Amino acid sequence: MATVQAIFVKGHENRLHPKPHTVYKIEVQGPVRSWHVWHRYSEFDDLDTELGKTAGSSAPAALPPKHTFSFRRKFNEDAIIKEREEGLETYLRAILSNKDSRWRECVAFKVFLGLPTTSSMGKATSDPSSAAGPQQFTSSSWLDEHTALQSLVRDIKADINKRNALSDANEVSQSHQTNVQAKKKLANLLTRIGGLAKGLDDMQKTGMSDGEVQRRGDMIARLQDECEKLGKMVIAARQSRGGFSSGSAADRNPASAEDRAALLGPGATAAKVSTGGTITRKFGAAALETDQTRPLDDAGL
């Protein structure tokens, strides 16, 4: 498994849904880039059980012990979590570095780290570092992916704001590059939302409750609404001195009052029609005759 060079457990988060639990942030480093996956302790336990069944023996290192609710845990939570992070990192590194590759070659281990896996059709699924995102979800990893997509939405909005600021500063080239970057991220977002929807369909088939499916479907719908808004923002022109601008050249650079007076004559802006009203012009309507224009020929006009 040469695609993974190192694994670290970088911290944790406490989450409230579907019920309060702790998830651990795992950094996977490859030759070119790194990515993060989030897993709770129960998923490590499921992985350990699956590796034992597939490889035929226990993993080269044991998981840190479980801690049920106790007086010690209540008043020493941070120390217990830190101890568990170190133990989980040791567990993953032992599998990665062991001379026997049977554990790290298991599909369960690759899926756990978000690595490509080869299906029976000979096609590889994508890892989180690619645009498609993970194709197989657990209930927890689905929520992790949803959180990541919300973060991606914020990134795109930040790029659009940066594009607008660069456009206002007349930095045309940088403004264009930032807009291209936002478009690429948006394409990535759309693809991964599709993967999220497919993952929800798969979990529904495996027994997820109708209420939870409906709740997560609403979460996907909100992301899709965000995509639609972002799409309009990315392609929308912006009025500025350069770069992304809209409207006609006359709208962006209106003539000064002096230039208008020189072109139309000194009394043009204050001329009155014979009835006493201000001269106005509607496109498609005939021009109004005035005391000022009546004695003029074509050349004079």
Side-chain angles (χ1 to χ4, degrees):
M1 203 161 80
T3 54
V4 175
Q5 295 184 335
I7 303 175
F8 303 93
V9 177
K10 290 287 191 177
H12 69 279
E13 284 185 4
N14 294 318
R15 298 182 179 176
L16 300 178
H17 299 289
K19 61 181 181 179
H21 64 283
T22 301
V23 291
Y24 298 90
K25 182 180 182 180
I26 305 161
E27 180 178 299
V28 185
Q29 293 186 352
V32 178
R33 61 184 302 172
S34 62
W35 63 94
H36 298 99
V37 291
W38 296 80
H39 290 294
R40 57 192 301 178
Y41 181 85
S42 60
E43 291 176 305
F44 277 89
D45 194 39
D46 292 341
L47 171 67
D48 189 59
T49 300
E50 183 64 27
L51 292 180
K53 293 178 180 179
T54 305
S57 63
S58 300
L63 285 171
K66 297 180 180 179
H67 293 288
T68 57
F69 182 81
S70 64
F71 179 86
R72 175 175 178 265
R73 178 171 181 178
K74 182 177 179 181
F75 290 96
N76 200 20
E77 184 75 21
D78 291 341
I80 291 175
I81 293 294
K82 181 64 176 176
E83 177 185 337
R84 178 169 283 182
E85 288 177 5
E86 294 173 354
L88 295 176
E89 182 174 285
T90 299
Y91 173 81
L92 294 174
R93 286 188 172 189
I95 296 174
L96 182 65
S97 61
N98 197 276
K99 292 181 179 179
D100 192 337
S101 64
R102 52 182 166 162
W103 295 285
R104 60 179 173 269
E105 292 301 328
C106 289
V107 172
F109 186 68
K110 293 181 178 180
V111 170
F112 187 84
L113 297 182
L115 292 168
T117 58
T118 304
S119 68
S120 59
M121 297 300 292
K123 296 181 180 180
T125 61
S126 302
D127 64 76
S129 63
S130 69
Q135 297 298 309
Q136 299 179 18
F137 291 104
T138 64
S139 177
S140 179
S141 65
W142 191 97
L143 293 173
D144 293 337
E145 175 71 357
H146 179 267
T147 300
L149 295 187
Q150 289 179 312
S151 178
L152 184 56
V153 167
R154 292 190 292 270
D155 287 345
I156 297 171
K157 290 181 178 178
D159 284 342
I160 292 172
N161 291 335
K162 181 180 178 182
R163 176 204 70 182
N164 294 341
L166 290 169
S167 179
D168 287 342
N170 207 25
E171 298 287 347
V172 178
S173 177
Q174 294 182 36
S175 178
H176 174 71
Q177 291 175 3
T178 304
N179 197 59
V180 170
Q181 183 179 2
K183 287 183 178 180
K184 290 180 178 179
K185 289 182 180 179
L186 182 58
N188 182 9
L189 176 63
L190 288 167
T191 302
R192 291 173 66 176
I193 288 176
L196 206 63
K198 183 180 182 301
L200 182 58
D201 289 340
D202 293 341
M203 287 189 292
Q204 183 179 20
K205 294 174 183 177
T206 57
M208 178 173 282
S209 68
D210 292 341
E212 183 64 11
V213 170
Q214 178 63 45
R215 186 179 76 87
R216 297 193 183 200
D218 291 341
M219 293 165 68
I220 293 176
R222 286 192 290 270
L223 280 176
Q224 290 171 333
D225 289 342
E226 288 284 1
C227 276
E228 184 176 356
K229 295 175 184 177
L230 289 172
K232 294 177 181 178
M233 293 169 68
V234 166
I235 64 175
R238 177 174 172 83
Q239 292 184 356
S240 63
R241 291 185 297 274
F244 298 91
S245 58
S246 64
S248 66
D251 291 334
R252 297 194 302 271
N253 299 285
S256 66
E258 292 80 2
D259 291 339
R260 291 175 63 85
L263 177 64
L264 302 176
T269 57
K272 303 289 182 179
V273 295
S274 57
T275 58
T278 302
I279 295 177
T280 59
R281 173 70 184 273
K282 295 182 179 179
F283 290 103
L288 296 176
E289 186 72 85
T290 68
D291 293 338
Q292 182 183 5
T293 61
R294 190 170 291 112
L296 301 177
D297 58 13
D298 289 345
L301 291 173

